[in-house]
């Protein structure tokens, strides 16, 4: 069910031609397939080419293949697998047509989506070491039909590298700021742009970085407005949310 | 400088008629007034009625009055003061024309803004006790020109209260989910809607809620896509970001 | 000493035919065998087929064999070994008749117990990755004589998967809710059912899940009544407690 | 809708005379009253005398009175208010017929319930200082129709005080173990009895008790089987769950 | 014993005319006065006007007066009291000639020191609310004979306020960066200047600022070189260390 | 039952003239009085003048009076009350003959004990502010019959103050090292003496002292042998343990 | 310098025949050998057979051999190496006459010491898995000349195992209580005996045991008097301190 | 641009011959090379022989080689690589002329710098195990042109080892104090010297050392003046800052 259908349904609710309770069911009690170890939704508009997502970590290669098979049978031509280790990717490749990027640990079954949004997402990183998470965000957004511009290694300790690229930032509809250590990049970018900034703390660093908590806390306490935060190393979540915002129509 | 001016400037950059470095200066080295204890920007389009914001906590009533005076002299007709205690509000009222809401601790100087976005923001809370933070978010968004719908006391332990209002959620361009204790509201709403969800953890609860950390961690680890998080009790930040998203044009 | 014997002893205490102090001794100073590295109880009614439990982690294969041997010599036909690594299981299999389940890391010596309770335990998980802990709980409960129904991958971000199975939940005498990440499953189930819910946080997740603490805190702060919590990844503890509750007679 | 009605509904589901989806709605989309600041359920069988519960903390006296009024109008003769400060209790007493216990901060509107369970709940504390939380648990259970036996100041540093009362423990259907500091009471009781033990950590102590976290962690790591844990100082939750278990019928 | 005397002593050590052990005694086993509750050093060159320091917090007004009296009797004309509450300051003023600054909670007995260093210390803050700690640092440095330049409210979310003052920063021998919330100021300044930056995290903020830990962790993880950190809100420590560095001679 | 009686009983156990189980009862199931809110032991040799101890915090004045009355009726001439607030002390003084020390918050009913150990306890503090906890330790030890020497304000940042008193340290049978902030005193003393050092971390400090955790962790990680640690601010515990060690006979 | 020499020196100090400062030097500026990477004391009475201790972790096998060689050259016949991995032990064995115990990771060079104390140390553990740490404590104490009695697997969830051995506990001069998980063993033993109890938290457990912090906090908050705590898994420290206490002469 | 040039530029600013904004650009918008994965500054005076620094952790060998190549092409004869694993060092050695020190994990391309400061840096450690971090600091400082004196294994539990070297400390312009476990070394040295002390907590230790947090907190709470702290195990940062201070000219 796509969003226009949702709106027309809601109009019926308002006009009283359908009760809210029935609408709920129409909206949400969509069919899913029960594999025992997983319950797979087949509700997100197959015809529209929106990819399905499988969180690869904590699932066996067999389980991932089973889930992907079920999705393909239901018409999905486009499946994104995140946090996919090299080993599992290799096992899946034997069975399915998988494109795999080892840096971001992302696997794609089917063809990459077309660009479906007019505006741009910028993905910026504090340092070179933040690239795996940044690529997880960027590839996710690309698969979801976005134009993505990368701005890597522009950490705040060398401000000129960021300032020299301010035009890139200014053209973004939404910015993903990826940084570990002190995570200050999100605040500085948040002060420079007027669009939403999605902050992704990374676990890059050592000692009192506490596995990324230092960057996370820094970002949550940002004094810049328009900044919100996702989990440590959650490039996928940032890419997905950025795509959502980038596709907003008035 | 408003956003159209920014765009035309950036075009000049691309055409090479102005260097990026010079554009940076034009964009960012905008005038500000130095009061010694504060440096006040006068750059956000005064003519457009966008309100200035003063973070009231940690400033004396005298400092707040000084800052507001400076803003008014520069043409701001619309000033939002957050985290303003009853005592300071009373002192400021003696001098300036202040509207004060004790529940959200928000003060407004000047008239509330007109509605400038066509779509709606929904503010939902898990319980009655989360209302002060929810109102901080809702009033902020209203001052910034948004239509806001409130959906209070719809916590996940009584799911029917949320499900019976699913049509309200479905009409939102962006949802603010405010919850303390286990903070599960954000995940459940995130699974129901297809728009961005801004999660605001609150310090409501006791014992192992750790002053709101339990809700914060819960929201950061949400398994629903499209959810991002702001600081504990940061109703203002959520309202500001929601307004940004609600005003996005394609 | 079984529970009927306990009750008759307590009656004697009330009637004054035995002092409380003497009763204590009769009750608790039961025989145990001292292996030096372990002191093994032989007090839980051998004749009743209740299995003995060995916590496998931190013990060598030799120690486990020694303990199991001692139990068998005392008539136990039914021994449950938890947290048993594949390596140790293989070493024990050479000597004893062990059934081993690698997913849950549970080993069973002897035959599985008969069903001794009329009612049912439901084990639900938020995701596929929570299955090892869920199986530890389910197998424990089954060995202890319970009928167990599994409801896997019903996390709150896809509420319809849970709601479509509400009849399964409604038939439970006690529910075990197993979830990592934001751990919201326990609250949502707690709001749907009227029976005790045992929440098992898992270490599934990454970053700010803090090895399961996010789910643990979330569950402890549940706003649903009837929810209590065991240690992170403690499937055994949940299965044991659920069996206790499932066997309660009025 | 009471539990028998639920069961007959579920039978219809099994027989196919009603779809699961429709049953969900019948079960859960029960009427509630929307006060704006609160959404009050009127679904728990009014005719059965089960009390409604209001969590008093974070609500104003006016809000509590409003909620209680709405409940009374729907036929509730029995309302329990927890975490009710002396000040609010006094304000409510002016309007409603409130019984108030300052130690446990519990208020009761209407008459205490009759005993509806045949078996007993034992509430034990480590020290005298744990009494406010223990009384919250005990009064909650009593209001819910249970016979409660109190066993206070039986901490593990003076084991004979506990052992001398072992007959009281042995007669319990469920034990609530309330303790601060090192929280060892739950483990020791858990090793002595064969019934469920609900552990309530308290914030009693100082320094490295970390506001109750030391007792909480201790209880979560209990090596005794049958122990589960609720939030720090959550006497109400323990009393409610204990009542649930104490009312279980085979 | 002043530093020249130390150097000449060390030369004797090198020449062998005095053993290292004897030098230790000469250097460090200096006279102190024992008041029972305090042991007061009288070793820092009285004749040179270097002030003595009393940490006011946790001492009674009587104890502070006793210590100051003892210092004055030994010739100190210049005593600095930190963390001195208004109440204690008022009590001390009755007895001693105290200058008191309520914002920084600093009291000075005797005249402020002359400027004894040729170069400058810059004290910068992220916001207006950081001023009490910044003033503690600035006044400490001034009492110790330094020229101090204040640069307040130059937080990174409004970068132009900082960049417009870059010449002030460039002239500093050492910079004290005072900031709460995300504490990014230290990193940004550290990237701009080539001198030591002393970072002072403040407890300004709320929620996940964790009483200043967010800023502290951010500063410790700074990716800028030349940054070191003192305790949260430790303005005195930063001022003292800055003075030390500002007085270094080649 | 005093210790000689214990030894003779244990000899009977070894000779087989009494079973271990019966000995347990004789030893531990000693009489206690049940006041409902407290269970008071009357087993520690009344005739020997060893004082009873009441932990005052969390008990009402009425409860303390009730407990003390019961103790006095059983012949205790010597009662120590710790963590007794000024207010409660004043209420108790109206009824009982109480000596009260406001700094350490210790109250004594009855006469102070005689010195019963030949050797000495030294109580050292890092600073003046640690005195309340140090006095709690010192007074506890004195009431328990020890000669106590105080060595206050000998923190490691002024090593000569400690070294000049090394002879006092050397004469101790056991040293209590009381320090907040970085807690280094315990390690330095532990390296200087050859007797047990009981480290008492205090909550003195601010910011990253985390309420005493910094000193606690520092002391637990001491690289000096012979150091053990009690809870933050637990002067009583240190005084009690020191007395135990100081009374050891070969 | 042995302790009698220390006492005679201190007498001289008191009589004024030597200044405190000179005594300090005599006492502490004892000879040590500088290997560059280590500074080895040769001050603890070689003639008395007290073993030297090398903390093996973090040192290379080469460094350990170098240190041991230097000690042996100075007459030490008895060297204890703790935290010595199997690999390093094997490399050292090639060069030096090393006895190695893999469970406790302790290595001994030279012969084990004779029993030099008349009384006994008891080492108790909560479970079988705590044995490596318990053996580190026990072997350390044995090398230091103590008679050690082991009481393993007597955790509080099976109280009868501890109570049946109460005579062993009663004969101890000092008890070492080794436990992970909830760490309640220390409190229960502390309530049973009248001698010092040294609590050793272990990292045994999982999930919310937080690597031993749960047991550590539990032990620090013990409500039993006479209990003090050492670092997590610090069997050596407990053994060393226990030996110190066990050797105390009146 | 070197510092003299900066000063002359700032004079122009003061005289008004250049605007501050233009000066900013001249100062900071220095050329850098964009490799995509890294943005390399070529602004730090090549002619002066100041080495460039590459943080090796989290970069591939290929990336490091690419960055180093770019630096060399711009004239850098002196490149410092920190946190360089043995494996990567070996791969880089195949291509570039690398000197590698496995203990400190530091690699140097080009020749070590000449001594450019007249005064000395002292690097002290608590134990032998702290050497890798200490060597990272020492080698960094040496590459930056400093004379470094090492003072290893002078922990506070054996104070005489430190006191015997007090002359070395006294000659330092700045001291780097490297210590794990309780981290007391910084406070003791801070009390002995009159120069800045840079404290480097290390992760050496176990259990409650919490990966270095115990030492970090200890150092942050130092009661000695003149002490500041860098991240856990951040030897490079300490060496860099020490060099900065050691090169200060009046």
């Amino acid at each position: 069910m796509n969003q226009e259908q949702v709106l027309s349904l809601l109009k019926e609710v308002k006009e009283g031609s359908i009760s809210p309770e029935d609408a709920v069911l129409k909206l949400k009690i969509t069919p899913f397939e029960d594999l025992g170890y997983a319950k797979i939704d087949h509700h997100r508009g197959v015809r529209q080419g929106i990819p399905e997502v499988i969180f690869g970590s904590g699932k066996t290669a067999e389980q991932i293949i089973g889930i992907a098979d079920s999705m393909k049978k239901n018409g999905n031509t486009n499946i994104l697998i995140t946090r996919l280790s090299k080993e599992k990717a290799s096992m899946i490749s034997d069975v399915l047509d998988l494109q795999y990027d080892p840096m971001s640990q992302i696997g794609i079954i089917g063809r990459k989506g077309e660009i479906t949004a007019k505006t741009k997402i910028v993905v910026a990183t504090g340092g070179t070491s933040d690239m795996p998470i940044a690529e997880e965000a960027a590839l996710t957004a690309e698969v979801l039909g976005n134009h993505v511009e990368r701005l890597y290694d522009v950490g705040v300790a060398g401000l000129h590298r960021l300032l020299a690229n301010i035009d890139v930032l200014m053209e973004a509809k939404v910015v993903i700021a990826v940084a570990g250590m002190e995570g200050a990049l999100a605040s500085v970018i948040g002060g420079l742009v007027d669009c939403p900034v999605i902050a992704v703390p990374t676990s890059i660093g050592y000692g009192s970085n506490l596995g990324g908590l230092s960057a996370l806390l820094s970002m949550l306490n940002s004094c810049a407005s328009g900044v919100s935060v996702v989990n440590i190393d959650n490039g996928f979540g940032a890419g997905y949310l950025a795509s959502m915002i980038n596709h907003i129509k008035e």
Side-chain angles (χ1 to χ4, degrees), chain A:
Chain A
M1 183 172 275
N2 61 28
Q3 231 175 356
E4 281 91 68
Q5 292 173 308
V6 170
L7 283 172
S8 85
L9 182 70
L10 290 175
K11 275 174 201 156
E12 291 180 77
V13 172
K14 281 202 163 161
E15 292 156 3
S17 61
I18 184 171
S19 72
E21 288 78 10
D22 290 347
V24 170
L25 288 187
K26 289 210 174 173
L27 279 166
K28 301 302 306 177
I29 308 296
T30 50
F32 58 85
E33 185 177 347
D34 196 336
L35 301 183
Y37 55 83
K39 297 192 171 39
I40 307 161
D41 290 325
H42 298 309
H43 69 286
R44 274 186 290 169
V46 164
R47 282 163 311 275
Q48 301 159 63
I50 297 175
E52 291 293 328
V53 181
I54 303 173
F55 182 66
S57 169
K59 297 200 180 72
T60 63
E62 289 74 24
Q63 289 174 331
I64 295 172
I65 292 169
I67 295 172
D69 265 341
S70 159
M71 286 172 172
K72 285 181 71 176
K73 276 178 203 143
N74 277 274
N76 284 92
T77 56
N78 210 350
I79 300 167
L80 179 73
I81 313 172
T82 63
R83 307 236 156 195
L84 184 64
S85 69
K86 217 170 174 169
E87 292 70 31
K88 290 186 201 167
S90 159
M91 293 167 71
I92 296 172
S93 291
D94 294 346
V95 184
L96 294 166
D97 179 29
L98 181 86
Q99 292 168 268
Y100 181 65
D101 174 56
M103 175 176 267
S104 63
Q105 298 209 300
I106 276 191
I108 301 173
I109 294 172
R111 52 173 215 292
K112 231 180 180 181
E114 308 158 48
I115 302 293
T116 52
K118 296 178 188 166
T119 46
K120 266 196 306 193
I121 297 170
V122 169
V123 179
T125 74
T128 302
S129 313
D130 300 310
M131 275 177 68
I133 303 305
E135 281 299 305
E136 189 187 90
L139 284 176
T140 296
E142 286 174 350
V143 170
L144 292 164
N146 299 277
H147 181 72
V148 175
E149 194 127 353
R150 286 153 173 88
L151 208 53
Y152 290 169
D153 195 25
V154 291
V156 302
L159 219 47
H160 56 293
R161 298 176 302 179
L162 186 65
L163 294 181
N165 286 290
I166 202 165
D167 55 330
V168 178
L169 285 175
M170 283 293 168
E171 288 179 13
K173 182 71 118 225
V174 52
V175 179
I176 298 174
V178 184
M181 300 177 82
E182 86 274 66
L185 187 65
S187 287
V188 172
I189 290 182
L192 289 173
V193 300
D194 285 323
C195 69
V197 175
I198 304 170
V200 188
T202 71
S203 52
I204 294 300
Y206 58 90
S208 65
N209 84 324
L210 302 178
L213 280 180
S214 62
L216 171 63
L217 291 173
S218 180
M219 287 167 166
L220 284 168
N221 286 283
S222 175
C223 48
S225 298
V227 177
S228 64
V229 188
V230 296
N231 194 3
I232 298 165
D233 290 339
N234 188 5
F236 164 74
Y240 191 98
L241 175 56
S243 173
M244 220 177 223
I245 294 173
N246 197 38
H247 279 83
I248 285 181
K249 296 175 191 182
E250 201 179 356

